[in-house]
Amino acid sequence: MARFLLLPIRARFSRCAGRRPDMSIFGALSTADSGLTAQSHAFTDISNNISNSQTVGYKATETDFSDYVLSSGAAQGTNGTVRATTANENDAQGTITSSTNALALAISGKGFFSVGEESGDSTTTTPAFKTTAYYTRNGNFTENKQGYLVNSSNEFLKGYSVNASNGVLNTTLAPINVANVVFRPTPTTIVTDAATLPTDSAMSGGSALSTATSQPQTTVYDSAGAPHTLDETWTQTGAPNTWTLTAEVDKSSATPGNTMTATVSFDPTTGYLASITPAGGTANTTSGTPASFSVPAVSTNNMGAFNISLGAIGSAAGTSVAGNGSPVSSTSDSVTTGVYQGISMTSDGNILANFDNNETQLVGKVPLATFANSNGLASQDGEAFVATSTSGAATVTLSGENGAGDLETSSVENSTTSLDTDLTKLIVAQQAYGANAKVVTAANEMLQTVLSMKQ
């Protein structure tokens, strides 16, 4: 009511009394009214903090009070009001505690998770997302029924997903989905040959097995899990007990790949490996050492370098010569099958798929978003924030880089609310509200005294 009575009565009082209105009873009433409003604002901030004392990733707020001067003079006092505003403390670090949730992440230091929110416009089982970019410190993520990673406020974690066709990380932020993860064969690093070649006499007599010098094709895999064919061919050099082994990747392809040749000699008495000399390399004749050579990588087919192992120099195990020889075989060390068991998080932001063969494969990566002024972010529902002109645009970077904080796995960041501090503030706000109410009561009594002068 004070605000409705203020203007007409103050104007009349000013004209009749010839005095400035600033120090009037009505000025005091207006000031006390603003005090009640300001303390109500503080009470709201405090109650919000207290109610979210157990909310993961919640950032407590402060209430700032400022004096708003209506008018002043050198010879007179100042009449004004008080204004209360909410001050964000989004850069405050909450206590990090361990969690039984293996997918939970906590940020130690600067940064926010990039998240998305559903728009509700989807007409299929695949959710549709709002175009607005949201950010949060609530890293209590779980996998929902659609395979998306969502936190306790149902915000969808954004990151860089791995392209299933080539195993390469995408460069565009998008909600991460881990449904329908398929095992990619691991890159080939070693091909092991088990060959028994025919002796020189068997070859010259024509009784050697034709299959002894031509190995069946072996499937090898590149870093993206794509298959390639490996052809290996043994050829007598003409020198006693000496052969050349030629390895060719994608021999029949329009763009042949890796190729390498090695010269292999055998002990004429035992038939065991005596030496191996890769093309352009140095002969290895040391007994007991691996008899292997490297097939180099080439850019034409994405196949990386790998080794071909024939066994050990001077050992009965591995490749040898004996009699008419026997069919040869080779095996790759690539793991080609695996059943998906679930995902796990790492402290560098990697999202790994776990398989029943004890292999893990990257399916996504979690970056962090930093801001020039994180306290300028605008709060949204569910512990989320949006960027403003005050906060500046988000800078997306990996954890631990460019000023971004570190990630802690199986952990959550607690609310920054301090219950003892806020309960103390609550008492102060209550007392200040009561004091302002007393001013209103006193001003009303003074006005009643003035009005009674006419009786």
Side-chain angles (χ1 to χ4, degrees):
M1 288 298 293
R3 290 184 174 175
F4 290 103
L5 294 172
L6 181 59
L7 291 177
I9 298 177
R10 285 184 64 185
R12 188 178 298 112
F13 184 86
S14 177
R15 287 197 299 270
C16 297
R19 299 184 57 175
R20 295 177 62 89
D22 304 276
M23 296 300 293
S24 68
I25 296 174
F26 298 103
L29 195 61
S30 177
T31 300
D33 178 60
S34 70
L36 292 172
T37 301
Q39 295 305 323
S40 295
H41 187 116
F43 186 81
T44 300
D45 288 341
I46 294 168
S47 63
N48 197 35
N49 289 343
I50 293 174
S51 63
N52 283 284
S53 62
Q54 303 302 310
T55 302
V56 173
Y58 175 76
K59 298 302 178 183
T61 60
E62 293 283 345
T63 305
D64 288 341
F65 298 90
S66 58
D67 183 26
Y68 183 69
V69 178
L70 296 178
S71 60
S72 64
Q76 297 189 29
T78 300
N79 181 52
T81 60
V82 62
R83 180 173 55 185
T85 55
T86 300
N88 295 322
E89 294 187 337
N90 301 330
D91 56 359
Q93 176 68 54
T95 303
I96 295 177
T97 57
S98 61
S99 170
T100 56
N101 177 13
L103 301 184
L105 291 174
I107 302 172
S108 176
K110 295 182 178 180
F112 297 80
F113 298 109
S114 295
V115 292
E117 294 186 357
E118 287 186 275
S119 66
D121 297 332
S122 175
T123 57
T124 66
T125 56
T126 302
F129 297 98
K130 297 177 181 178
T131 57
T132 303
Y134 295 93
Y135 308 93
T136 186
R137 295 277 290 201
N138 181 356
N140 194 20
F141 297 108
T142 57
E143 182 181 346
N144 71 4
K145 64 180 181 180
Q146 297 166 314
Y148 290 96
L149 301 182
V150 297
N151 64 15
S152 52
S153 296
N154 201 39
E155 293 162 335
F156 291 68
L157 176 64
K158 287 184 177 181
Y160 304 119
S161 297
V162 168
N163 188 322
S165 63
N166 57 21
V168 177
L169 276 173
N170 294 319
T171 57
T172 302
L173 276 180
I176 294 174
N177 188 286
V178 294
N180 304 317
V181 173
V182 177
F183 184 78
R184 299 187 305 275
T186 60
T188 299
T189 59
I190 298 176
V191 172
T192 302
D193 285 354
T196 301
L197 301 173
T199 62
D200 288 353
S201 59
M203 290 294 290
S204 61
S207 60
L209 291 173
S210 60
T211 56
T213 57
S214 180
Q215 296 183 205
Q217 284 185 332
T218 304
T219 302
V220 293
Y221 297 88
D222 60 28
S223 59
H228 301 267
T229 57
L230 169 65
D231 286 276
E232 295 180 78
T233 304
W234 290 91
T235 307
Q236 272 194 319
T237 65
N241 302 301
T242 303
W243 298 72
T244 58
L245 173 59
T246 302
E248 300 171 278
V249 177
D250 295 336
K251 177 181 178 180
S252 302
S253 172
T255 55
N258 324 44
T259 301
M260 190 62 182
T261 300
T263 301
V264 184
S265 65
F266 297 89
D267 185 286
T269 303
T270 63
Y272 300 158
L273 284 164
S275 69
I276 181 170
T277 308
T282 305
N284 176 17
T285 60
T286 305
S287 179
T289 59
S292 63
F293 64 97
S294 177
V295 180
V298 293
S299 60
T300 55
N301 63 356
N302 198 42
M303 184 67 201
F306 61 94
N307 290 334
I308 292 181
S309 173
L310 305 180
I313 302 295
S315 172
T319 302
S320 62
V321 294
N324 292 332
S326 61
V328 297
S329 64
S330 59
T331 56
S332 164
D333 66 342
S334 293
V335 181
T336 58
T337 60
V339 177
Y340 176 62
Q341 301 291 298
I343 62 169
S344 58
M345 303 287 202
T346 65
S347 58
D348 58 358
N350 287 340
I351 303 175
L352 301 177
N354 304 308
F355 298 89
D356 64 346
N357 54 18
N358 294 322
E359 293 284 339
T360 61
Q361 293 185 344
L362 185 69
V363 294
K365 197 170 187 69
V366 181
L368 296 179
T370 60
F371 297 87
N373 176 24
S374 58
N375 290 332
L377 294 169
S379 299
Q380 305 292 305
D381 291 339
E383 307 90 64
F385 302 92
V386 294
T388 66
S389 58
T390 304
S391 69
T395 299
V396 180
T397 186
L398 299 181
S399 62
E401 298 182 5
N402 303 316
D406 298 318
L407 290 175
E408 296 193 23
T409 58
S410 299
S411 302
V412 293
E413 182 185 6
N414 294 332
S415 168
T416 57
T417 295
S418 173
L419 282 176
D420 53 350
T421 300
D422 280 310
L423 289 173
T424 301
K425 290 179 180 179
L426 183 63
I427 295 173
V428 173
Q430 183 181 18
Q431 294 298 321
Y433 190 92
N436 280 281
K438 288 291 186 182
V439 173
V440 174
T441 300
N444 181 60
E445 292 175 354
M446 294 172 70
L447 286 173
Q448 293 299 325
T449 301
V450 173
L451 293 173
S452 66
M453 293 171 62
K454 289 187 177 183
Q455 299 176 358

